[in-house]
């Protein structure tokens, strides 16, 4: 008698880069996967937890989309019905700018059972690993997490709204729009607000740039920082251990230039 294969999808958040930051539940899902569809920001070391599975790279990066979202959706469905258990391994958390909900709904509409395993989001983990709290008594009572670039390729209008608040503002996928983003904070009178840009958080290649709203764009270019990176704007950035030193270096350089 032929065994009926139950099509199943598990959306797994892989965390922010360090393979040790995936959850145990995520590892268990990989161990019983028949197919793994994984993204560009996923550490490929995690694929070793699924030695028996077929691996399909469906990474998407700015300007380098190997698959459109509609194609990924179809791959999920075809592999679930053809192989059984599909693990969709996504960087960070699937529901934080990861389009995980779209994939979940698409799969459910095709009769596929869906599980969700949350992951650690770079929006809070990247600052934390640099000693920057996203909230701190006396500095910030809340935080915004905003995409720097919308699907139309424009700067999110929410940034201008967030800039008017006293909250910590965390911007993902925003380095290519750094000048326009900082213009929103300047327009809100925040020229001297501390800023950090953290690239490749939690990996051996992690780097950071520290400055203020009116200097950070030049610092980013000088340090050659870029995607993937997290931009943190707010008074909490001043608690980074190197922040005073970074500011003094900027001032010294400006004095020499003059």
């Amino acid at each position: 008698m032929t065994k009926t294969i139950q099509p199943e999808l598990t959306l797994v958040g892989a965390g922010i880069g360090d393979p040790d930051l995936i959850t145990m539940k995520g590892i268990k899902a990989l161990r019983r996967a028949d197919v793994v569809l994984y993204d560009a920001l996923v550490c490929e070391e995690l694929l070793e937890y699924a030695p028996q599975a077929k691996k399909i790279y469906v990474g998407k990066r700015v300007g380098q989309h190997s698959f459109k979202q509609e194609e990924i959706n179809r791959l999920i469905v075809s592999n679930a019905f053809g192989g059984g258990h599909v693990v969709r391994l996504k960087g960070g958390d699937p529901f934080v700018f990861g389009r995980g909900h779209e994939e979940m709904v698409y799969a459910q509409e095709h009769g596929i059972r869906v599980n969700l395993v949350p992951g650690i989001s770079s929006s809070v983990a990247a600052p934390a690993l640099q000693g920057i709290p996203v909230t701190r008594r006396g500095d910030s009572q809340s935080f915004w997490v905003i995409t720097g670039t919308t699907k139309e390729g424009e700067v999110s209008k929410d940034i201008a709204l967030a800039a008017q608040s006293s909250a910590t503002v965390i911007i993902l996928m925003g380095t290519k729009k750094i000048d326009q983003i900082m213009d929103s904070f300047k327009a809100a009178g925040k020229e001297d607000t501390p800023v950090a840009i953290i690239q490749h958080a939690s990996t051996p290649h992690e780097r950071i740039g520290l400055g203020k709203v009116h200097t950070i764009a030049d610092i980013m270019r000088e340090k050659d920082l870029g995607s993937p990176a997290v931009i943190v704007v707010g008074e909490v950035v001043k608690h980074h251990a190197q922040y005073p030193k970074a500011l003094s270096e900027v001032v010294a350089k400006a004095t020499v230039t003059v």
Side-chain angles (χ1 to χ4, degrees), residues 15-57:
I16 67 170
D18 182 345
D20 289 344
L21 291 178
I22 193 172
T23 63
M24 281 300 302
K25 193 166 186 177
I27 291 173
K28 289 177 181 178
L30 285 168
R31 284 174 174 162
R32 66 180 188 85
D34 297 301
V35 182
V36 178
L37 306 181
Y38 65 100
D39 279 348
L41 296 181
V42 168
C43 177
E44 294 193 10
E45 191 176 321
L46 292 175
L47 300 178
E48 296 174 10
Y49 288 113
Q52 77 293 342
K54 176 182 178 182
K55 285 87 172 177
I56 304 174
Y57 173 76

Side-chain angles (χ1 to χ4, degrees), residues 1-104:
M1 184 175 178
T2 303
K3 182 180 178 181
T4 301
I5 297 175
Q6 172 65 48
E8 181 181 4
L9 167 67
T10 302
L11 293 161
V12 176
I16 67 170
D18 182 345
D20 289 344
L21 291 178
I22 193 172
T23 63
M24 281 300 302
K25 193 166 186 177
I27 291 173
K28 289 177 181 178
L30 285 168
R31 284 174 174 162
R32 66 180 188 85
D34 297 301
V35 182
V36 178
L37 306 181
Y38 65 100
D39 279 348
L41 296 181
V42 168
C43 177
E44 294 193 10
E45 191 176 321
L46 292 175
L47 300 178
E48 296 174 10
Y49 288 113
Q52 77 293 342
K54 176 182 178 182
K55 285 87 172 177
I56 304 174
Y57 173 76
V58 292
K60 296 191 296 180
R61 297 290 291 274
V62 177
Q64 299 179 356
H65 289 194
S66 59
F67 283 88
K68 293 181 178 180
Q69 187 61 49
E70 293 75 16
E71 295 172 322
I72 295 173
N73 291 345
R74 290 193 290 269
L75 277 172
I76 288 171
V77 171
S78 62
N79 280 282
F81 279 100
H85 181 215
V86 174
V87 166
R88 180 71 172 95
L89 191 60
K90 305 172 77 71
D93 182 275
F95 277 21
V96 180
F97 301 125
R99 305 189 74 167
H101 189 263
E102 296 175 43
E103 295 173 358
M104 179 187 79

Side-chain angles (χ1 to χ4, degrees), residues 88 93 109 160 182 233 243 255:
R88 180 71 172 95
D93 182 275
E109 288 175 346
M182 290 304 121
V233 186
Y243 187 70
T255 303

Side-chain angles (χ1 to χ4, degrees), residues 17 19 36 40 42 47 69 99 121-122 134 142 170 174-175 181 197 203:
V36 178
V42 168
L47 300 178
Q69 187 61 49
R99 305 189 74 167
S121 171
S122 63
V134 295
S142 61
I170 299 158
T175 54
I181 289 170
I197 298 180
T203 75

Side-chain angles (χ1 to χ4, degrees), residues 92-163:
D93 182 275
F95 277 21
V96 180
F97 301 125
R99 305 189 74 167
H101 189 263
E102 296 175 43
E103 295 173 358
M104 179 187 79
V105 171
Y106 189 89
Q108 289 174 331
E109 288 175 346
H110 287 78
I112 297 170
R113 184 175 65 199
V114 180
N115 314 300
L116 175 68
V117 180
I120 296 175
S121 171
S122 63
S123 60
V124 293
L129 290 171
Q130 283 287 338
I132 300 172
V134 295
T135 60
R136 191 178 192 278
R137 187 170 54 179
D139 289 323
S140 176
Q141 300 175 21
S142 61
F143 62 94
W144 292 54
V145 181
I146 308 173
T147 179
T149 309
T150 66
K151 64 180 181 179
E152 292 80 19
E154 303 296 326
V155 173
S156 172
K157 293 180 180 178
D158 284 347
I159 292 174
L161 296 174

Side-chain angles (χ1 to χ4, degrees), residues 211-228:
K212 294 186 176 183
V213 164
H214 72 278
T215 63
I216 195 63
D218 289 337
I219 290 170
M220 187 192 84
R221 285 186 279 265
E222 179 185 324
K223 289 181 172 290
D224 195 26
L225 298 172
S227 180

